[in-house]
Amino acid sequence: MAPSRTSPEPPSAAQGLTKGQLATFERDGYLIIPNALSPSKVSELLTETHSLLDNLSLSDHPMTKFSTGEKSDHVGDDYFLSSGDKIRFFFEEDAFDAAGNLTKPKALAINKIGHYLHALSPPFASLLSPSSTHSPSLIAKSIGFHTPQCLQSMIICKQPEIGGAVPPHQDSTFLYTNPPSAVGFWYALEDATVENGCLSFLPGSHKNAEVGQRFVRKKDGSGTEFIDNEGLRFPVGGEYGAEDKGGEYVLGEVKAGSLVLIHGNLLHKSEKNTSKKGRIIYTFHVIEGEGAIYDERNWLQPPKEGFTKL
């Protein structure tokens, strides 16, 4: 597997991405921006993460497990489906024994925390500030958004020894608009390495990998399912729908503080964390609020005040 490609220059706070960074993102479907977060901001976000984990009460928790679909069906209970305007906790599948008992301390058993951190957690909400060093709104505008909206956010822990593998996927499968518009903002809060399950990407696949399926709520309200996508499968633009020329996945090893931008059509994955070291990251996703339809079938539904405008 080839080493990752890294952006050689930081974006300007006043301009979003530089021309070189934009060209890399458009070519590869992802962009790594080192040192997007200062060490003090990384420390602040890790402190908030550990506080959330330490204060988790198990007495009233349904013990919902988050599945990537490798071992069991994707999660679809009410605790998950109603989490769009809350901060909720989802366990690793391998944190339980055959009898359903936790085998790890709670802080080492959580797969992810979501999905409204960008509004309910002040430290994480601060990343959306227009005055932040690497303003997501300016970055979003520089890659073509007219009315960018943040619809969900997550802390993903990738726990030592049990952090589950995530198979190749496209974010627009799970956060679909017609036409597709999702872009992920992925921040490393700890070093992400081959050993602890860093991301890997299939460069250029955003141009030829169509969004063929959608992850939606079942019509009878009993959970979630994948359905064939009857809407547009690529963003609007002549560069999409190119011939699939194959290629190799590229490793995305990054240092804490790095930001990775991920196109919604890009195929990416991560391996299981079998090491003794975790890999905590924070990610949120942005969709277009103007001219792209986000419908009622999507598993994540907007809070009553709507999605968060950048």
Side-chain angles (χ1 to χ4, degrees), residues 42 96 147 167 169:
V42 169
F96 298 84
T147 309
H169 67 284

Side-chain angles (χ1 to χ4, degrees), residues 42-68:
V42 169
S43 178
E44 177 189 5
L45 298 177
L46 281 174
T47 296
E48 172 73 349
T49 298
H50 291 303
S51 176
L52 290 168
L53 290 169
D54 290 343
N55 290 312
L56 166 62
S57 172
L58 299 183
S59 63
D60 56 352
H61 194 287
M63 308 303 279
T64 299
K65 304 170 191 174
F66 182 79
S67 171
T68 62

Side-chain angles (χ1 to χ4, degrees), residues 6 19 37 45 88 103 121 126 172 182 192 205 259-260 279 302:
T6 300
K19 289 183 179 180
L37 300 179
L45 298 177
R88 288 186 166 169
T103 61
S121 166
S126 71
S172 281
S205 58
L259 165 61
V260 186
R279 190 215 72 183

Side-chain angles (χ1 to χ4, degrees), residues 22-289:
L22 182 59
T24 297
F25 179 74
E26 291 177 343
R27 181 193 69 211
D28 295 338
Y30 73 98
L31 175 71
I32 297 173
I33 304 172
N35 304 311
L37 300 179
S38 67
S40 61
K41 176 57 74 173
V42 169
S43 178
E44 177 189 5
L45 298 177
L46 281 174
T47 296
E48 172 73 349
T49 298
H50 291 303
S51 176
L52 290 168
L53 290 169
D54 290 343
N55 290 312
L56 166 62
S57 172
L58 299 183
S59 63
D60 56 352
H61 194 287
M63 308 303 279
T64 299
K65 304 170 191 174
F66 182 79
S67 171
T68 62
E70 289 271 274
K71 296 182 178 180
S72 59
D73 291 340
H74 273 269
V75 65
D77 64 4
D78 182 69
Y79 183 80
F80 174 74
L81 291 175
S82 61
S83 64
D85 59 354
K86 301 174 182 68
I87 296 177
R88 288 186 166 169
F89 301 79
F90 305 91
F91 286 91
E92 287 281 0
E93 289 185 283
D94 288 348
F96 298 84
D97 62 20
N101 302 306
L102 269 181
T103 61
K104 301 281 185 179
K106 63 181 182 180
L108 295 176
I110 293 296
N111 169 288
K112 73 173 184 175
I113 306 171
H115 292 95
Y116 209 36
L117 293 150
H118 60 281
L120 297 181
S121 166
F124 286 105
S126 71
L127 293 186
L128 296 186
S129 170
S131 62
S132 61
T133 305
H134 297 270
S135 167
S137 61
L138 292 176
I139 291 175
K141 293 292 181 65
S142 72
I143 59 179
F145 279 87
H146 298 286
T147 309
Q149 300 181 111
C150 178
L151 75 164
Q152 63 112 19
S153 52
M154 304 178 287
I155 297 164
I156 301 176
C157 297
K158 202 75 168 181
Q159 299 286 5
E161 300 178 330
I162 61 169
V166 180
H169 67 284
Q170 300 161 295
D171 291 344
S172 281
T173 297
F174 299 90
L175 303 168
Y176 181 74
T177 61
N178 190 11
S181 65
V183 171
F185 287 65
W186 190 100
Y187 297 85
L189 303 185
E190 297 179 315
D191 294 351
T193 66
V194 172
E195 290 75 23
N196 66 14
C198 67
L199 293 176
S200 56
F201 313 93
L202 188 58
S205 58
H206 63 302
K207 294 183 178 180
N208 55 55
E210 61 182 22
V211 181
Q213 288 195 309
R214 294 177 54 188
F215 181 66
V216 300
R217 297 176 179 230
K218 291 182 178 179
K219 288 185 176 180
D220 63 7
S222 64
T224 56
E225 63 182 346
F226 288 95
I227 62 170
D228 289 338
N229 177 20
E230 298 179 353
L232 294 176
R233 298 185 171 200
F234 289 102
V236 176
E239 68 271 28
Y240 296 105
E243 179 185 355
D244 183 359
K245 297 181 180 179
E248 289 185 25
Y249 275 85
V250 171
L251 291 171
E253 292 189 290
V254 296
K255 293 292 187 180
S258 299
L259 165 61
V260 186
L261 299 177
I262 305 172
H263 190 289
N265 276 60
L266 184 79
L267 288 165
H268 58 291
K269 63 180 182 175
S270 66
E271 304 304 326
K272 183 172 182 175
N273 181 9
T274 58
S275 77
K276 301 288 186 180
K277 182 173 175 55
R279 190 215 72 183
I280 294 176
I281 68 97
Y282 173 67
T283 183
F284 61 82
H285 287 84
V286 173
I287 57 170
E288 179 58 71

